[in-house]
Amino acid sequence: MATTYNASGMSINAITAQRAGDVIAVHSTFALSAALVVNDVVKFATLPAGCVPVDCVVDCDDLDTGVAPAVVVEVGFTGGDTDALIAASTVGQAGGVERANVATAFRVVPTATDRTVQLKVATAPATSAVAGTVGLTLTYRAAQVDE
């Protein structure tokens, strides 16, 4: 059964960029305490209203200890485009780093409401690790007038 978790960054208030040139970076971590299953969600950060992403980076330990790893994750927005920032990432198969990997990540339009940035398990691990850490760094800025 899929579970929704909150990473460390969800307990702090979102910092709003005041000008389009100001870039804010938020790093949040999640320590695994149970095996991941398909459709598990980890909420990492809040993208404030009126802001747009500059980049998104996932850093993680090996999430799939199987001989033939299968885990695939995606990063996007809760209740919206769940792979708007990172799509079909295999970073959890051996651990490593993955940056925003879809063009849409750099074309996200601002909204009038805050949005939650989440990591979703799109394909379950062959053999899920029960310990390890997943981190996410979201950089964002206030939208320009013409965005």
Side-chain angles (χ1 to χ4, degrees):
M1 182 166 145
T3 304
T4 299
Y5 303 95
N6 285 327
S8 62
M10 291 307 298
S11 63
I12 59 173
N13 292 329
I15 301 167
T16 303
Q18 299 300 313
R19 296 176 300 208
D22 292 342
V23 176
I24 306 294
V26 176
H27 181 75
S28 184
T29 59
F30 174 72
L32 270 69
S33 59
L36 294 173
V37 299
V38 70
N39 293 324
D40 271 357
V41 168
V42 181
K43 295 179 179 179
F44 275 96
T46 299
L47 179 65
C51 291
V52 294
V54 172
D55 201 359
C56 179
V57 180
V58 170
D59 61 276
C60 73
D61 296 333
D62 187 351
L63 304 178
D64 193 337
T65 59
V67 176
V71 69
V72 176
V73 298
E74 57 192 26
V75 178
F77 301 108
T78 300
D81 190 351
T82 60
D83 64 354
L85 304 173
I86 298 175
S89 174
T90 59
V91 68
Q93 292 183 5
V97 176
E98 177 92 44
R99 298 189 82 98
N101 65 5
V102 289
T104 56
F106 306 101
R107 300 175 187 156
V108 172
V109 296
T111 62
T113 58
D114 292 351
R115 290 175 279 182
T116 300
V117 176
Q118 69 172 31
L119 177 141
K120 180 179 177 183
V121 178
T123 302
T127 306
S128 183
V130 293
T133 301
V134 180
L136 185 140
T137 303
L138 175 69
T139 54
Y140 59 90
R141 63 175 173 75
Q144 299 172 170
V145 175
D146 60 348
E147 288 185 287

